């Protein structure tokens, strides 16, 4: 089971997107778990759960470089959710982006 974790300011609006992504994964029988968390819990969650992909919401994109600096050495791919996809709550498109990041990491 692959773990895709979304992080934003409080984890609230991102949880709606995570639900839509999980619905898409379930509909396609993909072994993927999608969860949303507040950014300030990122350290603990990464250490405890070792996700396979980290996606940051548009509202915390200014924290992207710091996250890559801090967690890039773990080998976990980190991406920014497109603001258009986020606004439209396009779970399928964001899930495809996460899967692409996971596959690229394997290369």
């Amino acid at each position: 089971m692959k773990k895709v974790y979304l992080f934003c300011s409080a984890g609230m609006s991102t949880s709606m997107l995570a639900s839509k992504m999980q619905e898409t994964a379930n509909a396609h029988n993909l072994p993927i778990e999608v969860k949303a968390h507040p950014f300030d819990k990122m350290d603990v969650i990464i250490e405890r759960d070792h996700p396979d992909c980290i996606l940051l919401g548009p509202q915390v994109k200014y924290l992207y470089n710091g996250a890559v600096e801090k967690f890039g050495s773990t080998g976990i791919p980190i991406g920014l959710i497109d603001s258009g996809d986020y606004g439209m709550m396009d779970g399928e498109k964001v899930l495809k982006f996460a899967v692409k990041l996971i596959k690229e990491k394997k290369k």
Side-chain angles (χ1 to χ4, degrees), residues 1-2 4 17-34 91-92 95-96 99:
M1 170 94 45
K2 298 290 184 189
V4 176
L17 179 59
S19 292
K20 292 192 178 274
M21 292 170 69
Q22 189 66 64
E23 287 172 17
T24 300
N26 294 346
H28 291 49
N29 294 317
L30 299 173
I32 296 175
E33 171 188 77
V34 184
E92 184 172 353
L95 184 64
K96 284 180 180 178
V99 169

Side-chain angles (χ1 to χ4, degrees), residues 5-106:
Y5 287 1
L6 283 57
F7 291 90
C8 70
S9 299
M12 300 299 270
S13 58
T14 308
S15 65
M16 291 189 302
L17 179 59
S19 292
K20 292 192 178 274
M21 292 170 69
Q22 189 66 64
E23 287 172 17
T24 300
N26 294 346
H28 291 49
N29 294 317
L30 299 173
I32 296 175
E33 171 188 77
V34 184
K35 290 187 178 179
H37 302 281
F39 189 83
D40 64 357
K41 304 272 191 243
M42 191 178 215
D43 293 13
V44 173
I45 291 166
I46 289 173
E47 188 174 317
R48 182 188 69 206
D49 297 338
H50 307 287
D52 298 285
C53 181
I54 297 167
L55 297 178
L56 302 181
Q59 63 274 56
V60 295
K61 72 178 183 180
Y62 66 95
L63 298 169
Y64 175 78
N65 289 337
V68 169
E69 247 178 60
K70 190 167 192 175
F71 303 109
S73 64
T74 64
I76 301 169
I78 302 170
L80 284 172
I81 300 170
D82 179 80
S83 58
D85 296 340
Y86 189 87
M88 296 299 291
M89 288 284 144
D90 192 334
E92 184 172 353
K93 206 165 181 188
V94 178
L95 184 64
K96 284 180 180 178
F97 174 58
V99 169
K100 180 182 172 206
L101 289 175
I102 291 169
K103 285 181 177 179
E104 285 176 356
K105 179 194 112 178
K106 289 182 179 180

